[in-house]
Amino acid sequence: MDFSAVSSALKAIGELTQEVTSLWGVDEQVERLASELRWMQSFLKVADARKVDHEVIRTSVVEIRELAYDAEDVIEMFALKVASKRKGGFSNCIKRSACFLKEGCLLHQIKSEIEKITARIEVLTRQLKTYDVSKLGVDGEGPSSSTERREARRPYPHVMDDNIVGLDKDIEKLVSVLVDEESECKVLSICGMGGLGKTTLAKKIYRQSQVVGHFEHLAWAFVSQNCQIRKIWEDILSDLNILTEVDKKMKVEKLAEKLSSFLEENKCLVILDDIWNTKAWDSLKPAFSARKTKSKILLTSRNKEIVAHADKNGFLYELQELDYNQSWELFQKIAFPQTNSPGYKIDAKMKELGEDMVKHCAGLPLAIIILGGILATKYPSLTEWLRVSANVKSYLNNDKGEVLRDVLALSYDDLPPYLRPCFLYLSHFPEDYEISADRLIQLWVAEGIVSSKQEEGDEGQIAEDVAEGYLLELAERCMIQVRERDNIATLKIRSFQMHDLMRDVCLSKAKQQKFLYIADQSNECQLSTIYSLTVH
Ligand SMILES: Nc1ncnc2c1ncn2[C@@H]1O[C@H](COP(=O)(O)OP(=O)(O)OP(=O)(O)O)[C@@H](O)[C@H]1O
Ligand SMILES: [Mg+2]
């Protein structure tokens, strides 16, 4: 949920109200507007915290964004006029008296503009008040609720896909760290963007004979965005074969204590799959507090920050995309169902089409599997393959491809409000473009997407430093791919790129939120309702 526009409008209103009201006496209108916007902001915050993804809310967010920009525009225009009239002292006062009538007109016009916006906001507020946001996220969504989607993606460590490609080097590296008893490292993390194969790799490791032989016990727990501590600890205790009926009624603190002492006394490997943030780790760590232990913890996460937070000697493993040959190998296994039959030969034209299409997946296994799956259903019709090939992107975004979109969009949904406009802004850059960090930071600041931080009793941070921190945060969340860093010590990013499919998510979110409009010759747009225009 993007409530950054509302926050920014509120901030502008807050800063300008003082000035505006002292001269014009429109405090009542401005206050009413601010109060409506405050309600919107808290509504969106609750919806966001509950991860509500409901059509009505989504449409409303677009409308709220437009209203908030309009409100900000009117207030700013108003303040500009006031400021220009304040300059010039006494002589200007005389001119001001002469312009009294004109000013009266302006005052009237601005008052009525504010009233119009407030009225629009009131209508929207009334609509939203009829929806109980506390219920929407839970059962208001029908079959595609986020809980169900999450459950659908729950991995089962004993179920292994047949078509795995690559991963041998990854397994070798991770296993060597896991079985190294001299190493101080207790927590390892496999990181990368959604659908890259983190869970798949963790499952492989979980079944690796060297690992099974090294550890006395193994446990697997699925964390997900909805981190339920008790459930996770119980799952681990159950895998370790020490969960009793008494434990199920035990206080949660006792459960943590039991798990912690077991991990201290036994050599265990615990896999925490799909952990989202340091907060989730902090809530889980009481069970992993054992110091003198040979047990290890392997995480999979889209967030690189967690491992260093969990263990200063932790090991970060950044999983890479499949290379072209591996991508093709995987694609073939899925798209051509008979590849394994003896004497089977792939049709030359289909091969050519497939080789071209697989490039669109940019090495992301999930995308390759989805695309391959779509094509397998159309096999052996060359006409159908030609149809998909003419519009691969839209096939990856529609129907069956919605899984891919949902998986990648989870990363966007998890962004804190201040990072959302920063991410959406990246939609301005063309595909495969290597973006210079310095240039982006200047743009973010110039466009007002990032501003300085003023903290009480503190010197605060200038906007450029804040922006640099935000960029690092996007990289930590695997939403951008760093290409060059200044030096290893500072980790300062010099240039980066966005995965092609992540860019698609960015573009679609930016369009959905009317953050940006892409103009080409075939479309016309209502420029008044958008934040930013890009011509490609
Ligand atoms: N090396 C691979 N070979 C073949 N298929 C793979 C490979 N890696 C991943 N896949 C397939 O891609 C899909 C996504 O993989 P996986 O669930 O492991 O991604 P993930 O990185 O854990 O994603 P998320 O961040 O959403 O949890 C799965 O269907 C998996 O079987
Ligand atoms: Mg996963």
Side-chain angles (χ1 to χ4, degrees), residues 262-279:
F262 190 85
L263 294 178
E264 180 135 31
E265 287 151 19
N266 299 274
K267 193 163 41 166
C268 309
L269 172 65
V270 177
I271 298 189
L272 295 177
D273 181 43
D274 202 26
I275 176 164
W276 277 75
N277 46 46
T278 51
K279 223 166 101 197

Side-chain angles (χ1 to χ4, degrees), residues 165-176 190 201 205 315 317-322 326:
V165 302
L167 296 187
D168 294 339
K169 288 215 174 78
D170 309 282
I171 295 170
E172 196 184 317
K173 179 70 212 168
L174 278 162
V175 170
S176 73
I190 306 171
L201 175 58
I205 287 173
F315 181 76
Y317 191 76
E318 297 191 52
L319 185 59
Q320 302 300 313
E321 289 88 27
L322 300 181
Q326 292 168 330

Side-chain angles (χ1 to χ4, degrees), residues 384-444:
E384 296 253 21
W385 271 53
L386 280 164
R387 194 171 298 144
V388 178
S389 137
N391 217 342
V392 185
K393 286 241 156 154
S394 77
Y395 273 92
L396 276 177
N397 271 310
N398 292 323
D399 306 334
K400 294 186 180 145
E402 80 182 14
V403 175
L404 174 68
R405 201 189 43 213
D406 283 355
V407 166
L408 297 181
L410 282 178
S411 293
Y412 175 80
D413 297 340
D414 193 62
L415 286 179
Y418 59 86
L419 277 183
R420 290 190 188 170
C422 297
F423 176 74
L424 295 183
Y425 193 82
L426 301 179
S427 55
H428 287 84
F429 295 93
E431 207 173 310
D432 293 330
Y433 187 80
E434 187 162 333
I435 305 168
S436 143
D438 283 346
R439 177 153 175 252
L440 176 75
I441 288 170
Q442 280 171 0
L443 287 167
W444 274 352

Side-chain angles (χ1 to χ4, degrees), residues 153 161 163-165 167 193-200 274 302 322 330 365-366 369 407:
R153 296 206 71 231
D161 294 306
N163 299 316
I164 303 297
V165 302
L167 296 187
M193 67 186 284
L196 194 60
K198 303 178 290 293
T199 303
T200 308
D274 202 26
R302 296 186 190 188
L322 300 181
L330 178 57
L366 180 63
I369 283 177
V407 166

Side-chain angles (χ1 to χ4, degrees), residues 130-370:
T130 59
Y131 290 93
D132 184 351
V133 71
S134 62
K135 291 210 178 103
L136 278 180
V138 185
D139 56 9
E141 283 185 283
S144 63
S145 78
S146 59
T147 321
E148 285 179 31
R149 281 203 299 265
R150 197 168 38 243
E151 273 313 303
R153 296 206 71 231
R154 174 185 284 274
Y156 293 92
H158 67 282
V159 182
M160 205 65 220
D161 294 306
D162 303 325
N163 299 316
I164 303 297
V165 302
L167 296 187
D168 294 339
K169 288 215 174 78
D170 309 282
I171 295 170
E172 196 184 317
K173 179 70 212 168
L174 278 162
V175 170
S176 73
V177 182
L178 278 173
V179 301
D180 180 0
E181 294 210 343
E182 302 304 310
S183 160
E184 292 283 297
C185 160
K186 296 285 171 240
V187 184
L188 298 83
S189 179
I190 306 171
C191 284
M193 67 186 284
L196 194 60
K198 303 178 290 293
T199 303
T200 308
L201 175 58
K203 280 203 240 174
K204 279 273 203 187
I205 287 173
Y206 191 69
R207 297 152 62 101
Q208 201 66 22
S209 55
Q210 214 184 334
V211 171
V212 178
H214 178 82
F215 292 99
E216 292 159 348
H217 303 270
L218 281 87
W220 177 288
F222 178 49
V223 182
S224 88
Q225 274 167 309
N226 173 30
C227 169
Q228 292 174 308
I229 323 167
R230 181 172 197 112
K231 171 90 180 62
I232 293 166
W233 287 340
E234 282 185 1
D235 281 353
I236 299 173
L237 288 169
S238 161
D239 277 1
L240 299 174
N241 280 325
I242 50 166
L243 181 70
T244 62
E245 283 306 312
V246 180
D247 292 339
K248 291 184 188 163
K249 295 187 194 101
M250 212 186 241
K251 273 169 74 181
V252 77
E253 297 86 338
K254 289 277 168 207
L255 219 55
E257 200 181 316
K258 177 169 177 175
L259 183 50
S260 178
S261 47
F262 190 85
L263 294 178
E264 180 135 31
E265 287 151 19
N266 299 274
K267 193 163 41 166
C268 309
L269 172 65
V270 177
I271 298 189
L272 295 177
D273 181 43
D274 202 26
I275 176 164
W276 277 75
N277 46 46
T278 51
K279 223 166 101 197
W281 169 262
D282 287 340
S283 59
L284 289 168
K285 82 174 171 200
F288 309 120
S289 54
R291 286 180 190 274
K292 284 191 198 121
T293 173
K294 289 192 170 152
S295 294
K296 297 208 174 173
I297 295 162
L298 176 64
L299 317 173
T300 81
S301 179
R302 296 186 190 188
N303 190 332
K304 297 184 206 165
E305 197 185 25
I306 304 173
V307 68
H309 176 81
D311 175 6
K312 65 179 189 330
N313 299 312
F315 181 76
L316 172 69
Y317 191 76
E318 297 191 52
L319 185 59
Q320 302 300 313
E321 289 88 27
L322 300 181
D323 64 25
Y324 181 74
N325 291 333
Q326 292 168 330
S327 299
W328 174 243
E329 188 188 336
L330 178 57
F331 177 82
Q332 270 189 81
K333 290 183 184 208
I334 311 233
F336 303 102
Q338 294 99 327
T339 4
N340 293 332
S341 341
Y344 174 77
K345 198 164 177 325
I346 296 176
D347 175 84
K349 180 66 188 162
M350 280 188 160
K351 182 165 187 266
E352 193 187 316
L353 288 174
E355 282 174 346
D356 192 49
M357 281 189 272
V358 85
K359 289 184 192 145
H360 287 282
C361 301
L364 192 72
L366 180 63
I368 299 171
I369 283 177
I370 289 169

